[in-house]
Amino acid sequence: MHKFLIVFVIGTLSFSISKAQKESTPNGWHLMDKDSTGYYGVSANKAYSFIKSKNLKSKTVIVAVIDSGIDTLHEDLKPILWTNPKEIPGNGIDDDHNGYIDDVHGWNFLGGKDGRNVKEDSYEAARVYHDLKSKYEGKEKGDIAPKDLAEFTMWQKAKANITGEGKEDAGIDIVILKRLLANMQKSDSTLKVALAKEVFTGTELNSFIPTEPAQKTSKNALLGLMKANNQLEATNKEFMEGFAEYVAGEDKKEESKNTPPPTYRADIVKDDETNINDRFYGNNDIMASTPMHGTHCSGIIAAVRNNGKGMDGIADNVRIMMVRAVPDGDEHDKDIANAIRYAVDNGAQVISMSFGKDFSPQKQWVDDAFRYAESKNVLLVHAAGNDAKDVDTEDNFPSPVYINGKGRAGNVVTVGASGDPKNGGLTASFSNYGKKEVDVFSPGVKIYATLPGGNTYGNLQGTSMACPLVAGIAALTLEYFPNLSAKQLKYVLENSTQKPDFKVSKPGTEDMVNLSDISKSGGIVNAYAALKLASTLKGERKIQKEVLPKPKLVKTKKG
């Protein structure tokens, strides 16, 4: 799963801290207009002025958010949740006969019939490595039948990923890392007492004058780490939680070298994971216990506008359909494929997908779902990922490039994350990029939006935030120009970007490049420009005939 986190470096170590690295851009900067405010946002107010000047009327657009869950009780989201018109809530009956009981606001493909839900899961690399180890361990390429070569190559890559084989840096010593975390936790506890507060920023710590040797040692240790990672504006709570999360992830990776990962999903969902036609599994709990990521993404798209609460979404007439398929860990291809099909079958016109991984063992299933969405004129918007890597040359799934080598999906927009010169630069330091595979950039640094808690808001960042902003602009465009096809929406988004007239940082490096060197469009999405361009097009939206053979849906005893 692409985390909504930023990567920092401590010598040879790296870990993740959530939230913004600086506080110099205001909440909602991502919606602002550069010419009138100086911030490199998407010109939302200008877009609505254009709509008003043209006397345009909106049509409701359903946007599916395939994610971790959503706070269905949030004050800014409750009014804009999609409601299945054919389903009677809470009666335990599949009223609309779509195979999913009481799917009132969406569906949870990470749930069990008994009401339990998958929270965490393993990494796909570990699953691939251990699932295929007995088949390929000790074999060379010459031993492999042609039909198995692609799978063997994938297994070799997974093996290198898990074991560190062939890498100059075989990984971080987990013992040293745990010791460092323990020392930082001790320092944090000492400083809480010394400052007489549970939460403090790095800036506050920097101004603190110790009165005891232990305080001085603790200050130097924690402050040194925060300074090294440019995190003086972060709180100790944010910093320590991010460090602990990183260490836990590295510990899990270390354990996976010799031990197959736990079967988190299988133990709860209990479907036949080898059968894509076994589709009717899960439950209707779309909040579950992990709604943070999906709640934030949904607010970016469609939080109620102009209600005086929290923040405004980009689109003003959208219904959010939550399809829960992304755990704390790597998502499963089957769940993503079925989530896309569910969204399409239930009327979604745009699908926001803020997740991703380096391996896709059942990519054909996802490819088929992409084709299905394209046949129904549904636009897929996907986060490019947060590894500061070139996805033209390194894998990032799901990918619009079909695994059989026969072309690519024409309805997919892949999104990198931009920022502002005042909060770290026009390109986010963590964003993946690619001249061929990243279509556009979109604000993804210090994005203020809804958080779980009913009336809670906060800043998160990542391509996970940039993606729903693009999905929201696509939905806004479709609201007022409903006859545009998915391919036309893609055309509009890519050809209405605002192109900077200066070089930008290539993420993960000190190189300065043109934005066109690291993305297809060479620009940052803009709602106003998108609507202007859309107004010049003649709509081509029509539902094509099914281009795929209809799967034979098999209801097993398990689901």
Side-chain angles (χ1 to χ4, degrees):
M1 171 183 174
H2 289 321
K3 303 295 183 185
F4 44 95
L5 303 172
I6 299 245
V7 174
F8 299 86
V9 177
I10 316 174
T12 59
L13 308 182
S14 65
F15 67 96
S16 298
I17 302 293
S18 66
K19 301 200 176 181
Q21 63 199 104
K22 295 184 179 179
E23 296 295 330
S24 53
T25 46
N27 292 338
W29 76 267
H30 62 285
L31 298 177
M32 296 179 181
D33 175 65
K34 176 187 172 295
D35 292 339
S36 60
T37 70
Y39 296 106
Y40 285 76
V42 300
S43 306
N45 287 342
K46 204 169 177 181
Y48 281 99
S49 294
F50 176 80
I51 289 167
K52 187 176 180 181
S53 71
K54 297 294 184 181
N55 198 29
L56 298 173
K57 304 299 181 185
S58 69
K59 182 178 180 181
T60 303
V61 172
I62 299 172
V63 177
V65 179
I66 300 177
D67 216 294
S68 64
I70 187 172
D71 181 355
T72 57
L73 301 178
H74 198 288
E75 62 180 4
D76 244 352
L77 298 178
K78 192 174 180 180
I80 54 90
L81 293 179
W82 170 75
T83 299
N84 187 342
K86 299 177 181 178
E87 198 72 25
I88 300 172
N91 67 354
I93 298 172
D94 180 16
D95 300 290
D96 60 357
H97 306 293
N98 69 350
Y100 303 98
I101 297 172
D102 286 337
D103 56 326
V104 179
H105 300 302
W107 192 250
N108 172 20
F109 284 100
L110 296 178
K113 301 290 185 184
D114 59 1
R116 292 186 300 152
N117 296 305
V118 179
K119 180 178 180 181
E120 65 175 322
D121 209 331
S122 53
Y123 297 103
E124 191 72 86
R127 299 196 291 255
V128 169
Y129 172 60
H130 287 286
D131 286 350
L132 298 175
K133 186 176 180 181
S134 61
K135 184 175 180 180
Y136 293 122
E137 186 72 270
K139 294 187 178 180
E140 301 293 335
K141 186 175 181 180
D143 303 325
I144 309 301
K147 67 180 180 64
D148 291 331
L149 274 177
E151 184 179 76
F152 175 67
T153 300
M154 177 179 65
W155 179 78
Q156 285 185 310
K157 179 187 170 188
K159 180 181 180 182
N161 182 288
I162 294 299
T163 65
E165 184 179 282
K167 295 181 181 179
E168 291 183 11
D169 178 7
I172 300 165
D173 189 320
I174 192 65
V175 175
I176 294 175
L177 197 57
K178 285 182 175 180
R179 188 178 302 142
L180 177 60
L181 174 61
N183 288 338
M184 288 303 103
Q185 289 170 333
K186 183 178 179 181
S187 295
D188 185 48
S189 296
T190 299
L191 292 167
K192 286 177 181 176
V193 174
L195 275 75
K197 54 171 61 178
E198 283 292 308
V199 179
F200 52 86
T201 67
T203 301
E204 290 176 303
L205 179 58
N206 195 34
S207 301
F208 168 63
I209 300 175
T211 59
E212 300 175 7
Q215 295 175 359
K216 183 177 181 180
T217 300
S218 296
K219 174 184 174 178
N220 290 340
L222 185 56
L223 186 63
L225 211 54
M226 295 181 84
K227 280 184 175 180
N229 292 286
N230 193 27
Q231 282 294 294
L232 289 183
E233 296 298 334
T235 67
N236 61 315
K237 184 174 185 294
E238 293 165 2
F239 195 81
M240 293 307 302
E241 284 178 353
F243 193 8
E245 182 178 335
Y246 170 75
V247 173
E250 291 301 310
D251 193 28
K252 187 184 289 186
K253 288 179 182 178
E254 182 68 23
E255 185 178 345
S256 68
K257 288 182 180 181
N258 301 308
T259 307
T263 53
Y264 298 103
R265 181 190 176 284
D267 293 345
I268 291 175
V269 179
K270 300 187 183 301
D271 64 321
D272 180 359
E273 199 174 337
T274 67
N275 180 10
I276 187 59
N277 290 323
D278 178 14
R279 292 176 59 188
F280 304 113
Y281 57 91
N283 62 42
N284 70 342
D285 183 2
I286 59 171
M287 184 183 293
S289 59
T290 57
M292 173 75 78
H293 195 265
T295 297
H296 201 263
C297 290
S298 297
I300 292 169
I301 297 169
V304 179
R305 292 184 59 81
N306 304 317
N307 64 350
K309 298 177 181 179
M311 46 76 65
D312 291 337
I314 181 67
D316 65 340
N317 192 3
V318 156
R319 295 295 176 265
I320 294 292
M321 175 194 298
M322 175 54 62
V323 192
R324 187 171 182 268
V326 183
D328 180 9
D330 282 345
E331 61 278 1
H332 291 248
D333 289 336
K334 180 182 177 182
D335 298 332
I336 297 306
N338 283 327
I340 292 171
R341 286 183 175 271
Y342 174 89
V344 172
D345 288 342
N346 286 280
Q349 294 155 284
V350 177
I351 301 178
S352 181
M353 307 192 301
S354 290
F355 53 83
K357 55 185 180 177
D358 296 334
F359 295 84
S360 184
Q362 286 83 36
K363 187 178 190 308
Q364 185 61 56
W365 293 348
V366 182
D367 286 353
D368 287 345
F370 275 28
R371 290 190 181 96
Y372 183 66
E374 186 169 4
S375 77
K376 301 295 186 181
N377 247 325
V378 178
L379 183 74
L380 307 177
V381 185
H382 182 232
N386 304 326
D387 303 308
K389 70 182 183 182
D390 184 351
V391 292
D392 286 354
T393 58
E394 296 188 57
D395 288 333
N396 175 53
F397 299 109
S399 162
V401 180
Y402 294 135
I403 195 170
N404 62 8
K406 296 180 180 178
R408 61 188 294 142
N411 62 326
V412 180
V413 177
T414 302
V415 184
S418 64
D420 187 274
K422 298 178 184 66
N423 64 23
L426 201 62
T427 50
S429 61
F430 53 82
S431 181
N432 287 351
Y433 57 90
K435 186 176 179 63
K436 295 179 181 178
E437 296 302 329
V438 173
D439 297 302
V440 298
F441 273 72
S442 170
V445 176
K446 190 180 179 282
I447 305 300
Y448 188 75
T450 45
L451 293 176
N455 60 355
T456 306
Y457 304 82
N459 293 301
L460 297 176
Q461 59 190 23
T463 58
S464 282
M465 282 63 248
C467 169
L469 185 53
V470 175
I473 294 174
L476 176 65
T477 304
L478 197 57
E479 283 180 37
Y480 292 96
F481 300 98
N483 293 324
L484 294 181
S485 67
K487 287 185 178 180
Q488 284 180 308
L489 276 178
K490 176 179 167 68
Y491 171 85
V492 165
L493 292 168
E494 292 178 0
N495 288 278
S496 61
T497 57
Q498 304 300 287
K499 299 171 175 58
D501 58 1
F502 53 88
K503 290 185 182 295
V504 300
S505 296
K506 184 178 181 180
T509 75
E510 296 183 359
D511 299 341
M512 301 301 292
V513 297
N514 294 317
L515 195 53
S516 58
D517 293 328
I518 57 174
S519 67
K520 181 180 174 183
S521 69
I524 299 167
V525 290
N526 187 275
Y528 167 65
L531 288 169
K532 275 187 67 178
L533 178 56
S535 70
T536 68
L537 302 179
K538 182 179 179 181
E540 299 174 350
R541 176 171 287 273
K542 59 181 181 180
I543 302 300
Q544 303 170 12
K545 284 188 174 182
E546 176 89 35
V547 297
L548 302 174
K550 202 163 182 74
K552 295 179 180 178
L553 303 182
V554 179
K555 269 204 171 186
T556 68
K557 291 182 180 179
K558 293 180 180 179

